[in-house]
C-alpha cells in the first residue's frame, strides 16, 4: 500500500520520523535473521517500549464463513439457505489455483518467498518516498497486509470502531506494529499458509470476501478453474476494492489497468510465458469477461417453500437461549459475533416434501394476487411428542423488508412477534377448547345436560381472580342466530355453540382458562391476554397458527406439551456439536383430561366430515370463525401430527362467508398428507371417572305417580318440570319417562322434565308379564336420528309403525334426534308392542321435517 507523501514544509519532521522509523525497522528486519538480537536490542532501548505491549507473535485468525441451513427430504439433509455477514467460502490449499498465487505475488509482493515478513528494500524505498525522493512506494508485504486485515476484521466483529479506523490511517506506529506481527506470523506459519489466509480474507468488492466467493460471484465458476486473466483481475481488486471491483462497469478500465500490470509482472518474474502473457492481455475487461451472479445470502434466495421457516430459524439463532445463555455465545454480543464468524451447519426439522405439498395447496386455494381482499393464509404442522416443526407455509412470498409488493410480506403469519413480527389473529371458536379443558379439569362431565339457551348475562356474571374483573353485561349469540336449549358440552363443541360455552365459562374462572391455554402451548401473540368474558369464544387476544397447533399437539400427546423446535443439530466448522434448544416437554394437563378431550374433539371431527381427512386414522379438530367471517381456522391433530390452518384478512374486514370452507379444504389436504408421511398411533381410551366427572345417573322414576316422582327428584337436588300428559303405556297420571332419560349423566344443575301418561296406550287388562316365544329386547335408540331409530326398531324385530312420538324443543343440535324412550333399552318386549320416544324439534314445535 502506497504511503502518503509529506509536504515540503514538513521535511524536517519527516526526516526525524524516518530516523526513528529506520532504527526500529532495522531491528525488525534483522529479526528475520537474528530474532534474539532484535529482542535484546528492543529491551535495551527505551525508545522501543512499543514492542513491550505487542504479542510476541501473531496468529492466522479464523475467517468469517457462510452459515448453511438444512431441511430434510426423505430422511436426508438438503441445503435450503445460506446466510452470512461476509460472503466468504474458505478454501483449502489444495483448491487454490496457482494462477491466483502467482498473480498475488507478482502484484503485491514480488520478493514474498525471499523475505521473512518485512522486505528491507521496500522499507527503505518507502522512507525515501516520504522524504520526497522517488515515486510513491509502499513497505507493506503480503504478510503485513494480512496482519492489518486481520486486526481490522477482529475490531469490526468486536464493534471497536476506533481500532478498525486506525488500520486504514497512515501511521509509523501502526506500520511498525504490522512489521513486528508479520515477523511473528512468518515464524509460526509457512509461506503457503500465509498466502492461503490472505486469499481467504481479501475483499473483492462489497461484502464479497475470499477468492472462492469472488470467483463464483464474478465469474460463475470455482476458484480452482480461474484463468490467468481472471486471477489477475481479482487480485487487481484487493489493493482498492472500492474503485476496482468488477461488479461496477465503471470500474472495469481501472481494473484492467491494474490487471495488465500484474500480468506483465507475472511474465517478468517467470511465472507465466510470454505467450500466456500476450493471450491474457488480449482479453478486455468488459461484459463478456465477467459473469456476475446474484447474491445467495439469506432466506430470500433460499429454498422457495421454506423461506419463512428459514427466517424463523435465523431468529431462533439470534434470540433464543439455552439454560440462560444464547445458543452460540454466553451473551447476545458473543452470540452475534459467532454468527458473524459463521461456518455453522444448522440441521432443521422441516420436512421439505410435506412443506412443498402444503404450499401447493395454499397457493391454489388462497392465491397471493387476490385483489378483492387482503388475503392471508398460513399453516403450521408439528410433530406430536417432540414439537418439531414439520411444515410452515403461507400464501405470501417472503420479502425481508417492509416495502414488499402486494404479493409478498416480511411478516411470518405462523409465528409470534419475536420470531416473525406477526401480531397474530383472533382465534374464533378454536379458543373454545380451553374452556372445554378447564371444564374437565374442574371436575365437570362432558355428558351432563346444560342450559344453552340465549340469555343476557348481567354485569359480574363471570369471574377472573387474577384481574379482579367485574365483567360487563354480555349477550352472546350463535352463528346464523341459531337457538339451542339443553345440550351436553360434547354437543356444544360439535355445534360450536357460543351460548353453551358462555354457560360453561360462567361456572369457571376466566384466568384459569387462559392459564390452561398457555400450559397447552398457546400464547397471546401481542404479549398479554385480554381477559374478559367474550374471550372464551375467541373474541379476545390474538394467537398464531403455531400456538394453536401446539395446543392440539398437547391434546394428542396425552396432555404433554412440547414447545415447538426448529433446529435438530448445529455443527461448527471444526466438526464439534453446539447444543440447540432441545425438547422442552411438560405435563400441561393430565392424561385423563386429555383422554376425554380426545373423545370430544374426535366426535367433533366425525360430526363435521368436511374436516375429516380420508382414511381410518383418528383425527381431533375444531374450527374457528370470528364475527362477520373475517378470520377462519381449522385446528386439529392425528396421534402423530398437529395442524393449524388460518385463512383470513391480513388487514381490513372483508367477509369470507363465500369462502368459508377454504380452511377445511386446506386442512384435510395438509392433514391427509401428514398422516401419509407420519402414519400410526392411536388416541387414549377415555378415562371413565373423568368422563363422568361430577355427574351421576338420573334415577328411573317411570311407573311412579307424578307427585312421588317429583318428590324423589327434588329430594335428590334436581329442579323438576312436569310436561303435559302424553300417549303412554302407563296408567293415567303415572310417569311414562323423563327427559333426560333414566340413566343419563346429569348434575343437580340439570333440570328434569317429567312426562306423565294419559293412559291412552294402557291395555284394558294387564296380564302378568311373561316373555312369549319370539320375544326380544328393546334396542337403545337415544342419540339416533328418528330415521335411524325406525330402522333399528325394525331390525330388532319390532313394528316401527307402532312408535309413539312426542316432539320436544331441545335446541337445533337435537332436531330429529331421539332424546328418551320408553320402554328403556334392554327391556323385554313382544313384536307387536309399541314404544314411545321423545324426539327433538325446533321452536315451532311438531315435526320439523324428520
Amino acid at each position: 500500500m502506497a504511503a502518503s507523501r509529506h509536504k515540503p514544509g514538513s521535511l524536517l519532521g519527516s526526516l526525524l520520523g524516518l530516523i526513528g522509523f529506520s532504527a526500529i525497522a532495522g531491528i525488525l528486519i534483522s529479526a528475520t535473521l537474528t530474532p534474539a538480537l532484535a529482542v535484546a536490542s528492543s529491551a535495551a532501548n527505551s525508545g522501543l517500549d512499543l514492542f513491550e505491549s505487542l504479542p510476541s507473535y501473531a496468529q492466522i485468525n479464523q475467517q468469517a464463513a457462510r452459515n448453511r441451513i438444512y431441511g430434510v427430504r426423505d430422511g436426508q439433509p438438503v441445503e435450503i439457505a445460506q446466510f452470512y455477514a461476509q460472503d466468504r467460502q474458505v478454501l483449502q490449499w489444495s483448491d487454490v489455483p496457482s494462477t491466483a498465487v502467482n498473480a498475488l505475488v507478482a502484484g503485491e509482493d514480488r520478493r514474498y518467498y525471499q523475505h521473512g515478513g518485512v522486505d528491507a528494500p521496500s522499507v527503505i524505498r518507502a522512507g525515501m518516498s516520504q522524504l520526497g525522493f522517488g515515486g510513491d512506494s509502499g513497505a507493506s508485504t503480503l504478510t503485513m497486509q494480512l496482519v492489518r486485515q486481520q486486526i481490522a476484521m477482529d475490531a469490526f466483529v468486536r464493534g471497536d470502531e476506533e481500532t478498525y479506523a486506525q488500520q486504514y490511517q497512515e501511521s509509523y506506529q501502526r506500520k511498525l506494529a504490522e512489521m513486528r506481527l508479520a515477523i511473528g506470523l512468518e515464524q509460526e506459519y509457512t509461506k503457503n499458509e500465509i498466502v492461503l489466509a490472505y486469499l481467504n480474507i481479501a475483499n473483492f468488492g462489497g461484502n464479497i470476501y475470499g477468492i472462492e466467493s469472488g470467483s463464483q460471484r464474478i465469474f460463475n465458476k470455482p476458484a480452482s478453474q480461474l484463468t490467468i486473466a481472471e486471477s489477475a483481475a481479482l487480485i487487481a481488486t484487493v489493493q482498492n476494492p472500492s474503485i476496482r471491483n468488477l461488479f461496477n462497469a465503471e470500474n472495469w478500465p481501472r481494473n484492467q489497468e491494474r490487471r495488465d500490470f500484474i500480468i506483465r509482472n507475472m511474465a517478468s518474474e517467470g511465472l507465466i510465458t510470454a505467450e500466456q502473457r500476450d493471450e491474457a492481455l488480449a482479453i478486455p475487461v468488459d461484459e463478456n469477461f465477467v459473469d456476475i451472479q446474484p447474491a445467495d445470502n439469506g432466506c430470500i434466495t433460499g429454498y422457495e417453500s421454506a423461506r419463512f421457516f428459514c427466517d424463523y430459524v435465523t431468529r431462533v439463532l439470534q434470540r433464543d437461549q439455552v439454560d440462560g445463555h444464547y445458543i452460540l455465545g454466553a451473551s447476545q454480543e458473543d452470540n452475534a459475533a459467532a454468527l458473524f464468524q459463521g461456518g455453522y451447519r444448522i440441521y432443521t426439522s422441516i420436512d421439505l416434501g410435506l412443506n412443498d405439498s402444503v404450499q401447493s395447496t395454499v397457493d391454489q386455494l388462497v392465491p397471493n394476487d387476490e385483489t378483492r381482499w387482503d388475503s392471508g393464509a398460513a399453516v403450521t404442522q408439528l410433530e406430536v411428542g417432540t414439537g418439531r416443526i414439520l411444515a410452515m407455509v403461507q400464501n405470501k412470498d417472503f420479502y425481508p423488508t417492509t416495502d414488499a409488493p402486494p404479493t409478498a410480506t416480511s411478516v411470518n403469519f405462523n409465528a409470534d412477534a419475536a420470531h416473525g413480527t406477526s401480531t397474530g389473529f383472533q382465534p374464533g371458536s378454536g379458543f373454545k377448547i380451553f374452556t372445554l379443558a378447564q371444564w374437565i379439569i374442574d371436575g365437570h362431565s362432558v355428558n351432563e345436560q346444560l342450559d344453552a339457551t340465549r340469555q343476557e348475562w348481567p354485569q359480574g356474571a363471570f369471574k377472573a381472580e387474577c384481574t379482579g374483573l367485574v365483567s360487563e353485561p354480555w349477550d352472546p349469540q350463535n352463528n346464523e342466530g341459531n337457538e339451542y336449549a339443553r345440550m351436553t358440552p360434547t354437543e356444544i363443541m360439535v355445534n360450536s355453540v357460543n351460548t353453551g360455552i358462555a354457560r360453561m365459562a360462567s361456572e369457571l374462572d376466566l384466568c384459569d382458562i387462559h392459564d390452561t391455554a398457555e400450559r397447552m402451548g398457546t400464547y397471546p401473540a401481542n404479549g398479554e391476554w385480554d381477559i374478559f368474558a367474550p374471550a372464551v369464544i375467541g373474541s379476545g387476544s390474538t394467537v398464531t397458527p403455531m400456538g394453536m397447533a401446539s395446543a392440539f399437539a398437547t391434546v394428542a400427546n396425552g396432555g404433554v406439551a412440547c414447545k415447538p423446535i426448529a433446529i435438530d443439530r448445529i455443527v461448527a466448522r471444526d466438526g464439534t456439536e453446539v447444543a440447540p434448544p432441545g425438547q422442552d416437554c411438560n405435563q400441561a394437563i393430565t392424561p385423563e383430561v386429555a383422554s376425554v378431550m380426545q373423545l370430544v374433539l374426535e366426535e367433533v371431527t366425525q360430526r363435521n366430515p368436511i374436516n375429516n381427512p380420508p382414511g381410518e386414522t383418528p383425527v381431533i379438530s375444531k374450527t374457528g370463525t370470528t364475527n362477520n367471517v373475517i378470520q377462519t381456522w381449522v385446528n386439529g391433530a392425528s396421534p402423530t401430527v398437529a395442524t393449524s390452518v388460518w385463512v383470513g384478512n391480513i388487514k381490513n374486514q372483508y367477509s369470507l362467508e363465500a369462502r368459508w370452507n377454504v380452511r377445511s379444504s386446506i386442512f384435510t389436504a395438509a392433514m391427509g398428507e401428514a398422516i401419509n408421511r407420519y402414519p400410526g398411533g392411536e388416541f387414549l381410551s377415555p378415562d371413565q371417572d373423568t368422563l363422568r366427572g361430577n355427574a351421576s345417573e338420573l334415577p328411573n322414576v317411570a311407573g311412579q305417580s307424578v307427585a312421588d316422582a317429583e318428590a324423589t327428584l327434588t329430594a335428590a337436588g334436581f329442579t323438576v318440570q312436569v310436561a303435559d300428559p302424553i300417549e303412554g303405556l302407563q296408567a293415567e297420571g303415572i310417569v311414562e319417562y323423563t327427559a333426560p332419560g333414566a340413566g343419563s349423566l346429569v348434575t343437580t344443575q340439570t333440570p328434569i322434565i317429567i312426562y306423565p301418561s294419559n293412559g291412552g296406550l294402557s291395555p284394558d287388562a294387564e296380564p302378568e308379564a311373561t316373555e312369549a316365544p319370539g320375544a326380544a329386547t328393546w334396542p337403545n335408540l337415544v342419540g339416533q336420528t328418528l330415521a335411524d331409530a325406525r330402522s333399528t326398531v325394525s331390525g330388532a324385530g319390532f313394528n316401527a309403525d307402532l312408535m309413539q312420538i312426542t316432539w320436544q324443543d331441545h335446541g337445533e343440535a337435537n332436531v330429529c334426534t331421539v332424546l328418551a324412550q320408553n320402554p328403556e333399552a334392554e327391556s323385554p318386549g313382544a313384536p307387536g308392542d309399541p314404544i314411545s320416544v321423545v324426539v327433538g324439534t325446533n321452536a315451532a314445535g311438531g315435526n320439523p321435517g324428520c
Side-chain angles (χ1 to χ4, degrees):
M1 182 175 179
S4 59
R5 302 179 69 176
H6 287 271
K7 296 178 181 179
S10 63
L11 180 60
L12 180 59
S14 298
L15 181 60
L16 293 175
L18 176 61
I19 294 171
F21 176 80
S22 300
I24 300 170
I27 295 173
L28 289 173
I29 295 169
S30 69
T32 62
L33 300 174
T34 57
L37 175 60
V39 172
S41 298
S42 65
N45 191 330
S46 60
L48 303 181
D49 289 343
L50 165 68
F51 300 112
E52 295 299 317
S53 61
L54 291 175
S56 60
Y57 62 88
Q59 292 184 340
I60 292 178
N61 296 332
Q62 187 179 72
Q63 298 307 318
R66 297 184 177 194
N67 298 295
R68 300 176 186 271
I69 302 177
Y70 298 85
V72 180
R73 184 184 297 281
D74 300 326
Q76 298 301 314
V78 175
E79 184 177 306
I80 62 174
Q82 302 176 9
F83 68 97
Y84 42 83
Q86 295 181 343
D87 185 354
R88 177 186 286 107
Q89 300 180 69
V90 177
L91 282 185
Q92 301 303 313
W93 181 254
S94 60
D95 298 318
V96 175
S98 60
T99 55
V101 175
N102 292 337
L104 180 63
V105 171
E108 296 299 315
D109 190 353
R110 284 180 290 176
R111 284 183 294 277
Y112 172 70
Y113 283 100
Q114 283 77 52
H115 64 66
V118 177
D119 183 34
S122 296
V123 171
I124 294 171
R125 281 200 309 272
M128 297 303 294
S129 175
Q130 288 290 310
L131 293 175
F133 302 105
D136 286 344
S137 181
S140 291
T141 63
L142 277 181
T143 314
M144 291 168 64
Q145 291 181 42
L146 175 60
V147 166
R148 183 176 72 252
Q149 292 184 69
Q150 289 193 143
I151 294 173
M153 197 61 62
D154 289 346
F156 182 80
V157 172
R158 297 194 313 271
D160 184 350
E161 296 180 4
E162 181 179 357
T163 301
Y164 178 81
Q166 287 174 353
Q167 305 315 304
Y168 299 97
Q169 298 171 356
E170 287 305 320
S171 162
Y172 288 132
Q173 282 204 339
R174 178 184 64 76
K175 189 68 70 174
L176 291 171
E178 286 178 10
M179 290 181 181
R180 177 71 178 91
L181 292 172
I183 292 171
L185 202 70
E186 294 261 2
Q187 292 171 352
E188 281 292 311
Y189 299 96
T190 67
K191 289 287 187 177
N192 288 348
E193 287 174 333
I194 293 171
V195 168
L196 177 63
Y198 189 103
L199 290 173
N200 278 327
I201 199 174
N203 177 250
F204 294 95
N207 76 330
I208 312 303
Y209 292 85
I211 197 167
E212 178 66 17
S213 288
S215 178
Q216 292 192 11
R217 288 289 304 281
I218 296 169
F219 296 113
N220 193 22
K221 62 173 64 174
S224 60
Q225 298 177 12
L226 286 171
T227 66
I228 293 172
E230 291 166 347
S231 292
L234 286 175
I235 298 304
T237 302
V238 301
Q239 196 179 74
N240 199 333
S242 62
I243 64 171
R244 292 198 184 115
N245 78 78
L246 292 163
F247 292 98
N248 187 343
E250 294 181 358
N251 296 337
W252 292 345
R254 286 187 292 267
N255 181 279
Q256 181 165 344
E257 181 183 6
R258 177 68 181 173
R259 183 205 69 169
D260 292 352
F261 169 80
I262 293 171
I263 291 172
R264 293 188 182 96
N265 276 0
M266 292 171 72
S268 64
E269 294 294 323
L271 301 173
I272 58 174
T273 66
E275 182 180 3
Q276 289 174 317
R277 176 198 62 197
D278 295 341
E279 181 180 341
L281 291 173
I283 302 172
V285 176
D286 57 17
E287 64 276 5
N288 296 318
F289 180 62
V290 299
D291 186 8
I292 304 297
Q293 299 299 304
D296 57 357
N297 186 15
C299 301
I300 185 64
T301 64
Y303 191 92
E304 188 170 5
S305 78
R307 290 175 182 173
F308 283 100
F309 174 76
C310 168
D311 183 67
Y312 180 88
V313 170
T314 62
R315 292 173 186 271
V316 168
L317 290 168
Q318 293 165 0
R319 297 172 179 270
D320 288 11
Q321 299 184 37
V322 178
D323 297 331
H325 61 82
Y326 289 86
I327 298 172
L328 301 175
S331 67
Q332 193 168 21
E333 292 75 16
D334 292 340
N335 193 76
L339 280 174
F340 182 96
Q341 284 296 108
Y344 293 100
R345 286 173 286 151
I346 299 118
Y347 297 92
T348 72
S349 59
I350 198 76
D351 183 329
L352 295 174
L354 177 61
N355 209 65
D356 286 346
S357 176
V358 178
Q359 184 71 65
S360 177
T361 300
V362 169
D363 289 344
Q364 178 185 356
L365 296 177
V366 192
N368 62 12
D369 58 356
E370 172 64 61
T371 58
R372 291 171 297 170
W373 55 293
D374 196 357
S375 64
V379 182
T380 293
Q381 295 188 286
L382 304 177
E383 185 175 51
V384 172
T386 66
R388 296 175 70 247
I389 302 171
L390 301 177
M392 178 185 285
V393 305
Q394 60 192 60
N395 70 319
K396 298 292 187 181
D397 296 332
F398 178 71
Y399 198 87
T401 61
T402 56
D403 59 342
T407 56
T409 182
S410 62
V411 179
N412 186 343
F413 302 140
N414 286 286
D416 59 14
H419 295 93
T421 71
S422 173
T423 55
F425 307 94
Q426 282 192 340
S429 295
F431 203 78
K432 291 173 180 174
I433 68 163
F434 304 118
T435 296
L436 173 66
Q438 196 60 45
W439 180 263
I440 302 169
I441 290 169
D442 283 5
H444 297 281
S445 172
V446 297
N447 290 324
E448 65 178 279
Q449 292 284 327
L450 297 175
D451 181 6
T453 56
R454 179 182 174 185
Q455 69 174 81
E456 182 172 349
W457 295 89
Q459 182 176 5
F462 298 88
K463 64 179 179 179
E465 292 293 337
C466 62
T467 66
L469 170 76
V470 177
S471 61
E472 296 296 318
W474 183 33
D475 183 14
Q477 301 180 41
N478 296 312
N479 180 47
E480 299 180 344
N482 289 333
E483 297 287 343
Y484 298 88
R486 303 205 62 77
M487 57 198 318
T488 66
T490 298
E491 290 291 338
I492 290 170
M493 294 300 294
V494 167
N495 294 280
S496 200
V497 180
N498 292 341
T499 52
I501 290 292
R503 171 66 62 183
M504 294 168 67
S506 71
E507 300 184 31
L508 307 172
D509 188 300
L510 302 183
C511 296
D512 291 343
I513 293 172
H514 287 80
D515 287 346
T516 295
E518 285 201 11
R519 290 200 311 276
M520 293 174 66
T522 298
Y523 296 86
N526 56 6
E528 186 174 347
W529 292 119
D530 295 322
I531 298 179
F532 60 108
V536 299
I537 61 171
S539 298
S541 303
T542 58
V543 298
T544 64
M546 186 176 293
M548 294 305 297
S550 293
F552 275 80
T554 297
V555 177
N557 195 32
V560 176
C562 295
K563 291 183 179 179
I565 53 176
I567 302 173
D568 291 335
R569 294 176 61 210
I570 301 175
V571 181
R573 70 174 78 192
D574 62 0
T576 59
E577 298 269 348
V578 179
Q583 290 184 24
D584 186 358
C585 300
N586 296 283
Q587 193 78 48
I589 56 177
T590 67
E592 293 77 13
V593 169
S595 73
V596 176
M597 291 191 73
Q598 290 172 1
L599 176 71
V600 173
L601 296 175
E602 189 177 355
E603 179 72 10
V604 171
T605 305
Q606 295 294 331
R607 299 273 290 277
N608 293 275
I610 192 173
N611 299 319
N612 197 5
E616 299 300 319
T617 300
V619 171
I620 59 176
S621 69
K622 182 70 189 76
T623 57
T625 309
T626 63
N627 289 343
N628 301 316
V629 200
I630 305 302
Q631 313 294 356
T632 68
W633 301 71
V634 182
N635 311 297
S638 72
T640 58
V641 177
T643 301
S644 177
V645 174
W646 163 76
V647 177
N649 286 261
I650 301 171
K651 297 179 292 187
N652 304 325
Q653 302 291 310
Y654 185 87
S655 175
L656 302 183
E657 186 168 2
R659 300 173 57 79
W660 204 325
N661 290 328
V662 169
R663 59 184 178 178
S664 298
S665 299
I666 296 174
F667 178 81
T668 52
M671 197 74 248
E673 183 68 21
I675 290 171
N676 290 337
R677 292 173 176 272
Y678 300 87
E682 59 184 18
F683 291 133
L684 301 170
S685 297
D687 180 74
Q688 293 304 307
D689 289 339
T690 307
L691 183 64
R692 178 184 293 269
N694 61 353
S696 58
E697 293 182 357
L698 182 67
N700 185 2
V701 294
Q704 297 182 20
S705 68
V706 171
D708 288 346
E710 192 170 5
T712 299
L713 295 174
T714 301
F718 294 103
T719 300
V720 181
Q721 304 172 26
V722 180
D724 293 335
I726 62 171
E727 292 283 317
L729 295 170
Q730 301 289 345
E732 184 177 1
I734 302 300
V735 176
E736 187 79 6
Y737 46 73
T738 61
S744 298
L745 287 176
V746 293
T747 66
T748 54
Q749 284 75 40
T750 307
I752 311 300
I753 303 174
I754 292 175
Y755 291 91
S757 173
N758 64 6
L761 300 177
S762 177
D764 293 335
E766 188 172 346
E768 185 177 344
T770 59
E771 189 171 327
T777 57
W778 288 103
N780 185 4
L781 307 178
V782 175
Q784 297 187 26
T785 64
L786 180 57
D788 289 345
R790 290 185 187 278
S791 298
T792 300
V793 166
S794 296
F798 297 96
N799 185 351
D801 293 335
L802 298 178
M803 289 181 69
Q804 301 294 319
I805 302 173
T806 299
W807 300 101
Q808 179 71 39
D809 180 8
H810 273 263
E812 189 70 24
N814 295 317
V815 170
C816 296
T817 300
V818 176
L819 306 173
Q821 71 181 75
N822 187 52
E824 296 177 9
E826 306 301 326
S827 299
D833 288 348
I835 185 170
S836 181
V837 294
V838 178
V839 181
T841 184
N842 51 33
N847 189 341
C850 299

